[in-house]
Amino acid sequence: MNPEPLFRIRNLKVEYNGRGTIFHIPHLDILSIDRVAVMGPNGSGKTTFLKTLNGLLEVPSGTIFYKGAPLRVHRRKLTQEVTYVHQHPYLFRGSVYRNLLVGLHSATLTLKEKERHIQITLERLGLSGYEERDTRELSGGEAYRVALARALVREPQVLLIDEPTAQADQEAKRIITETLQQVARKGNTTLIFATHDENLCKDLDVRILRLEEFSLCRY
Amino acid sequence: MKPIQTAIELILSGNREIFFTVGTSLSFSFFSTILAGFMGLSIATILTLCRFPLRRFLISLITSLMAVPTVVVGLVVYSLLSRSGPLGSLGWLYTPYAVIIGQSIFALPIVISYLWTGFSKLDLRFFETIHTLGCSFSTKCFLTWRESQTVLTNALLSSFGRVLSEVGISMMLGGNIRWYTRTMTTAIALETNRGEYEQALALGILLLLLSIGINTLTFRISAQGGRT
């Protein structure tokens, strides 16, 4: 028996003023075990698509169901279970540790457990020893990995990532790819990410959603 | 030049009444700014983080209230605190309480307006991030304040400066009572009427120095905030 889709998208159409239809998804189901790469040229609506799934943008036209109910019904659940990482993420003032602690603000863990959890996550992303670093001193690639760590530390059910390797050098790319592979193997998190990186798609063995022509295929 | 020279001598000699009046002004302004700060911070945060009907109308109403003259605020509070008013039984008219309440009401729209404008200028990604991280309302408030420390300080300093230099409320609600509710501005008005220019000038010089000091501090904090 097929599992209940996590997201059911019906007739989702995004239009920008004066530019016509940006993309149109007539029918798409995303399962909880899925890994989906959203691809397309710049301006094809990849970020809009991810933000819409997270409820950061209103569903413009059509319907998106999350766990069987329309997104607007699940607003609270969405913020608890779905996390989005910006292409150019926003890090709060203060240390890397404080940023990750915000990610864990609602977790029912002791401070010691939270600290351990944060350390493990930073280690996974090659950021050991960065705990006390001021976020304003980080490079773009480091900031991205901190934002990814902040999202991962929450262990979300759905992780929406915008261009995970766009700002990364070779080493950071390897670390990010390995981390996402681990997340995918663990199987608790549905991965949906926007990317131009064909290698990342190959390494993660994803389904590819091409927005400009609406086609869905396996890599 | 003689009155200016005498005024400076009065300041340098540490004239007790002048410095008591300065102290009264500063303490009234401090408490009213703190009171307006607490209320303003809550209201501005709700206006920034929550979406509800008439929100835009409320913001424009509060912004318009910034232009209300101090005597009008004084008149409204006077009618509430006067013996025949609804709060007359408290007996607060012509006491520091009345001045502080009046000045807080006057400062409130200034604080809200400064804070709301500052909060709204935060990066859109900040608001999206606190949403996507599932932050509770209290965490969202805390993070908004942390990210806007410069805005907070500037709002409080600006409101302090405005309250310090107002005269209508202090005069109407404090009654300009010597050694009790007399502030720098009411004293300047009184001494000028009495022809005691030296005393008025001494207070004027001190008020000017304080205003310049506050503005300089505000400017430096803004500049520092812009750099970081």
Side-chain angles (χ1 to χ4, degrees):
Chain A
M1 195 179 77
N2 280 336
E4 167 80 7
L6 199 62
F7 287 104
R8 272 193 294 142
I9 299 167
R10 299 291 178 268
N11 211 22
L12 177 66
K13 197 185 270 186
V14 171
E15 290 168 338
Y16 289 151
N17 287 343
R19 285 177 57 190
T21 302
I22 300 297
F23 68 81
H24 177 208
I25 301 177
H27 181 283
L28 175 68
D29 287 345
I30 298 175
L31 306 179
S32 58
I33 51 162
D34 264 341
R35 297 182 292 280
V36 178
V38 186
M39 298 190 87
N42 292 338
S44 59
K46 299 187 290 296
T47 300
T48 305
F49 177 67
L50 294 185
K51 284 187 175 180
T52 310
L53 289 185
N54 194 196
L56 291 172
L57 295 176
E58 290 293 325
V59 179
S61 117
T63 325
I64 301 179
F65 296 92
Y66 177 68
K67 292 188 173 174
L71 274 193
R72 63 176 182 283
V73 177
H74 272 323
R75 275 213 175 275
R76 182 144 188 81
K77 213 172 194 178
L78 270 179
T79 61
Q80 298 303 325
E81 298 177 357
V82 184
T83 303
Y84 169 72
V85 182
H86 290 86
Q87 182 179 359
H88 301 287
Y90 186 94
L91 296 181
F92 306 117
R93 271 167 188 255
S95 65
V96 168
Y97 172 78
R98 273 185 171 280
N99 268 269
L100 268 74
L101 207 54
V102 173
L104 280 175
H105 72 98
S106 59
T108 49
L109 300 170
T110 63
L111 192 62
K112 264 231 150 352
E113 288 168 329
K114 284 182 181 178
E115 274 174 19
R116 202 173 143 57
H117 207 47
I118 287 171
Q119 259 174 0
I120 292 169
T121 313
L122 286 176
E123 238 173 70
R124 268 165 81 179
L125 281 152
L127 295 168
S128 298
Y130 275 60
E131 289 86 343
E132 295 311 317
R133 285 275 293 271
D134 192 314
T135 51
R136 285 170 295 184
E137 293 167 3
L138 301 174
S139 68
E142 287 169 336
Y144 195 91
R145 278 188 285 155
V146 170
L148 191 56
R150 187 175 59 189
L152 283 172
V153 85
R154 302 185 69 209
E155 296 184 345
Q157 283 192 30
V158 182
L159 186 55
L160 307 165
I161 324 175
D162 208 345
E163 304 277 7
T165 52
Q167 299 175 68
D169 57 22
Q170 282 308 313
E171 178 60 8
K173 252 183 203 178
R174 184 189 61 77
I175 293 170
I176 290 172
T177 309
E178 278 178 15
T179 308
L180 295 181
Q181 278 172 332
Q182 278 174 22
V183 172
R185 266 200 302 274
K186 219 172 158 189
N188 299 334
T189 304
T190 311
L191 275 180
I192 305 172
F193 58 93
T195 188
H196 294 284
D197 188 345
E198 299 270 349
N199 289 331
L200 182 68
C201 299
K202 197 156 62 181
D203 291 337
L204 286 172
D205 183 25
V206 292
R207 287 203 297 162
I208 292 178
L209 168 65
R210 289 195 189 277
L211 281 183
E212 75 277 24
E213 66 216 21
F214 181 64
S215 69
L216 194 63
C217 58
R218 184 156 287 283
Y219 193 85
Chain B
M1 284 306 283
K2 185 92 171 66
I4 294 179
Q5 196 182 339
T6 317
I8 292 169
E9 277 169 13
L10 271 173
I11 296 169
L12 295 178
S13 68
N15 183 290
R16 200 166 152 252
E17 187 167 1
I18 286 180
F19 283 96
F20 183 85
T21 310
V22 172
T24 308
S25 275
L26 288 174
S27 62
F28 286 179
S29 305
F30 175 77
F31 286 114
S32 53
T33 304
I34 293 293
L35 204 62
F38 272 116
M39 290 188 289
L41 187 60
S42 320
I43 297 170
T45 311
I46 290 170
L47 288 173
T48 308
L49 295 176
C50 303
R51 296 286 174 270
F52 52 87
L54 297 180
R55 178 176 155 274
R56 285 267 155 206
F57 168 74
L58 213 59
I59 292 165
S60 56
L61 182 72
I62 289 167
T63 313
S64 322
L65 286 176
M66 279 176 78
V68 172
T70 54
V71 281
V72 175
V73 177
L75 190 64
V76 172
V77 180
Y78 184 94
S79 62
L80 293 173
L81 293 179
S82 65
R83 216 173 266 188
S84 54
L87 300 173
S89 58
L90 293 171
W92 281 0
L93 195 61
Y94 303 134
T95 68
Y97 297 120
V99 182
I100 290 170
I101 290 171
Q103 288 184 340
S104 304
I105 293 171
F106 169 64
L108 189 60
I110 301 168
V111 176
I112 296 173
S113 199
Y114 265 94
L115 288 178
W116 182 77
T117 310
F119 291 162
S120 308
K121 281 184 186 158
L122 277 170
D123 198 314
L124 174 67
R125 291 171 307 155
F126 165 76
F127 295 105
E128 290 181 342
T129 304
I130 56 174
H131 176 87
T132 195
L133 289 175
C135 295
S136 61
F137 184 69
S138 56
T139 310
K140 282 181 182 172
C141 292
F142 173 73
L143 288 170
T144 308
W145 300 336
R146 246 177 69 101
E147 296 297 301
S148 319
Q149 285 166 14
T150 316
V151 173
L152 266 169
T153 320
N154 278 345
L156 291 180
L157 281 174
S158 305
S159 123
F160 184 82
R162 291 280 293 273
V163 163
L164 189 69
S165 55
E166 72 76 28
V167 60
I169 295 166
S170 308
M171 189 71 92
M172 289 178 83
L173 302 174
N176 199 15
I177 302 167
R178 197 179 181 197
W179 303 108
Y180 189 45
T181 55
R182 183 166 295 172
T183 63
M184 282 193 280
T185 49
T186 57
I188 290 170
L190 177 79
E191 302 300 350
T192 311
N193 278 341
R194 281 172 32 183
E196 300 277 350
Y197 297 119
E198 292 84 1
Q199 191 109 347
L201 261 174
L203 285 163
I205 291 168
L206 288 172
L207 183 60
L208 197 66
L209 287 175
L210 280 169
S211 300
I212 292 171
I214 292 164
N215 279 330
T216 310
L217 199 61
T218 311
F219 179 75
R220 289 192 67 160
I221 290 169
S222 298
Q224 256 174 5
R227 268 202 299 275
T228 53

